[in-house]
Amino acid sequence: YDNVGFTLRGRARTSIDGSFEISTVSPGRYLNGATYRPRHLHLKLRASGHRLLTTQLYFPGDPFNESDAFFDPRLLVAEAIEDGERFALFDFVLVPG
């Protein structure tokens, strides 16, 4: 993790309907002790009047998903390819509070 220059970190705002889009590179894997973490994205989502959501999203078919201590199949993105570009889709729900 780059906690000095904050490389590959960003901030996005939603449109009026709550949707947002982020363009990035496909994440890599890294060692966590003796095993690799699967490809994943870390996210924090916040909205006025709602609880902060800190989560991570996973990609289907990663060979390290099932061995990852944090993996939850409910956090798998849906993948789509359009005009040669790969997209990861996911719907978030924030809890009021």
Side-chain angles (χ1 to χ4, degrees):
Y1 293 101
D2 178 8
N3 290 318
V4 177
F6 297 99
T7 301
L8 298 177
R9 293 178 185 226
R11 193 178 272 197
R13 293 194 182 271
T14 64
S15 64
I16 194 74
D17 67 358
S19 64
F20 66 96
E21 187 174 308
I22 299 170
S23 296
T24 188
V25 297
S26 181
R29 298 177 186 98
Y30 58 87
L31 273 174
N32 183 32
T35 185
Y36 278 95
R37 295 282 329 269
R39 295 181 310 127
H40 61 280
L41 298 170
H42 293 270
L43 298 111
K44 285 189 177 189
L45 296 100
R46 62 178 58 99
S48 180
H50 293 79
R51 292 178 23 201
L52 172 68
L53 173 63
T54 301
T55 191
Q56 47 196 335
L57 299 178
Y58 295 88
F59 295 86
D62 191 294
F64 296 101
N65 280 344
E66 297 301 325
S67 62
D68 187 68
F70 305 103
F71 176 72
D72 183 329
R74 296 174 297 176
L75 298 175
L76 283 168
V77 299
E79 290 187 301
I81 297 177
E82 187 176 303
D83 297 329
E85 289 191 70
R86 178 177 282 172
F87 293 88
L89 310 167
F90 195 84
D91 289 325
F92 296 95
V93 177
L94 298 181
V95 176

